[in-house]
Amino acid sequence: MAYDLITMGRIGVDLYPLQAGVPLAQVSTFGKFLGGSATNVAVAAARLGRSTAVITRTGDDPFGTYLHEALRGFGVDDRWVTPVAGLPTPVTFCEVFPPDDFPLYFYRQPKAPDLELDAHDLDLDAIKETRVFWMTGTGLSEEPSRTATLAALAHRAKAGTTVFDLDWRPMFWKDPASARPFYEEALRHTTVAVGNLDEVEVATGVREPHAAARALLDAGVELAVVKQGPKGVLAVSRDGESAEVPPLPVTVLNGLGAGDAFGGSLCHGLLAGWDLERTMRHANAAGAIVASRLECSSAMPTAAEVADALAAGAVK
C-alpha cells in the first residue's frame, strides 16, 4: 500500500494546562494529548481524509502505549512506531498566555527515543513509494536519527513530493551554525521547504521573506513556503508561481500546533493538485482553527470545518 503521506520525526505526550494566563508553577490541572510536530502533521492530514503513517519511536512505557492508542484513534498507521528500552517517552509542557506567548518545556532526557531512529530499521521502499514524505530539522540534530533521515531522503531521491519542515528548535542544537550544513544537505534531497522566519534564517542565513524563498529555491527545492506570522504566508515555486496570503482572523487561545495543522493541510493541497493560492489559504485556515483551540492533535480540523472558516472569512 502506498500512503498519501508518511512523516518521520518527533512524538510525545503534550501536557497542556487547562487554565490560560497562569504560570506553570501555579497550574493545577492538565490535559493529556498526543504531540510531536511530525506526528501532528500526520494527524492533520488524516483528518482531511488522507492515508497517513508516522515513523518514530517511543519509550517502552505506559505513555508509549497511550501514543499508539491515540494514533490509531486518529486513523494514523502506527506500524513504524517502535519502543526503545531504557528511554522514557518524551513529555512536553507549555504555558498559555494568549495571544502570542506559549513557552514550551521539553522533557527529552537523557535522550528522546525518536532520535534513536536507525537507518537499518527503515522501510525504505515504503518511504520511496509514499506520495508525500515529510521530515524535520529536529531529526537531523543527533545520531543515529540524522543518518537515518538523510538515508531516507537519499533513497527517496525526490520521488513524488518530499517536504523538509525546517523545524528549528534551538534547545536541540549547539547553535545555528552547527545545524546549517545538515540543513543544506537535506535541502538537496527535498522538493518543498517550509518554515517560519527564524527557521529559514537558520537554513539559509537570510531572513527577508522573498530573499529567503529564493535562497531555498537555489538550495534545491521546487517550492519554498515562508510563514511570516501576522503578515501571513509567502509561497514561491521554481516555475515562477507565487502566492502571498494574509492570515485568517482568529481569537488565539493557544498558537501551538497551528503550524502542524498548516503542514497537514499543505500536504493535502499538494496531493489534490491545487494552485498555490488555494493551498495557502486552506493551510492558513487550518492553522487558525487550531490556534483557536487549546490542544494540538485532537484540535486538527476536518475539511468541512476549514471550508466553513474560509466561507466566513474568519474563525468563529
Side-chain angles (χ1 to χ4, degrees):
M1 169 187 174
Y3 295 85
D4 289 328
L5 170 67
I6 294 177
T7 68
M8 180 174 176
R10 290 202 310 276
I11 194 170
V13 176
D14 288 344
L15 293 175
Y16 284 179
L18 299 183
Q19 300 130 293
V22 178
L24 197 58
Q26 298 172 17
V27 173
S28 58
T29 55
F30 296 85
K32 181 182 69 175
F33 307 101
L34 170 73
S37 63
T39 303
N40 282 337
V41 169
V43 171
R47 276 281 173 90
L48 296 170
R50 298 297 177 177
S51 60
T52 72
V54 60
I55 302 169
T56 190
R57 306 198 73 181
T58 70
D60 188 8
D61 55 25
F63 274 153
T65 301
Y66 160 72
L67 294 175
H68 278 277
E69 293 172 351
L71 284 168
R72 292 192 291 267
F74 288 127
V76 177
D77 196 322
D78 65 341
R79 71 181 63 193
W80 296 303
V81 182
T82 56
V84 180
L87 290 179
T89 298
V91 174
T92 303
F93 289 88
C94 80
E95 293 176 305
V96 178
F97 296 104
D100 58 4
D101 187 18
F102 307 101
L104 276 171
Y105 303 89
F106 292 97
Y107 290 78
R108 291 166 62 86
Q109 291 81 25
K111 186 179 184 181
D114 53 70
L115 294 175
E116 284 294 307
L117 285 166
D118 191 289
H120 298 94
D121 298 326
L122 297 178
D123 187 336
L124 292 173
D125 289 339
I127 288 170
K128 187 163 188 175
E129 291 168 5
T130 185
R131 296 176 67 193
V132 178
F133 178 61
W134 177 287
M135 46 71 65
T136 75
T138 295
L140 301 172
S141 64
E142 286 193 43
E143 295 289 3
S145 173
R146 177 184 300 147
T147 294
T149 302
L150 293 174
L153 291 175
H155 187 81
R156 186 164 169 80
K158 292 192 175 183
T161 299
T162 304
V163 184
F164 182 7
D165 173 8
L166 301 178
D167 183 42
W168 168 248
R169 303 288 180 173
M171 66 286 293
F172 300 157
W173 295 86
K174 291 181 180 178
D175 56 59
S178 68
R180 188 164 297 145
F182 302 112
Y183 274 57
E184 290 173 346
E185 174 65 17
L187 286 168
R188 286 194 282 272
H189 295 285
T190 52
T191 61
V192 180
V194 56
N196 61 31
L197 295 178
D198 290 337
E199 292 166 339
V200 298
E201 185 175 20
V202 168
T204 67
V206 180
R207 189 173 182 87
E208 194 281 322
H210 290 269
R214 174 50 55 190
L216 290 168
L217 294 173
D218 290 345
V221 304
E222 300 297 319
L223 172 64
V225 180
V226 182
K227 294 182 284 188
Q228 306 175 78
K231 293 185 177 180
V233 61
L234 168 69
V236 182
S237 69
R238 183 175 297 279
D239 64 9
E241 185 182 7
S242 65
E244 193 160 8
V245 176
L248 205 64
V250 59
T251 300
V252 174
L253 175 59
N254 184 358
L256 301 173
D260 302 332
F262 181 100
S265 176
L266 169 65
C267 294
H268 179 63
L270 293 172
L271 286 162
W274 295 343
D275 63 45
L276 270 188
E277 181 161 345
R278 181 180 180 185
T279 300
M280 293 303 113
R281 288 191 182 280
H282 193 280
N284 263 357
I289 290 169
V290 172
S292 73
R293 299 169 176 175
L294 172 66
E295 64 273 21
C296 293
S297 54
S298 55
M300 296 301 169
T302 63
E305 288 174 321
V306 176
D308 287 347
L310 287 170
V315 176
K316 301 298 186 181

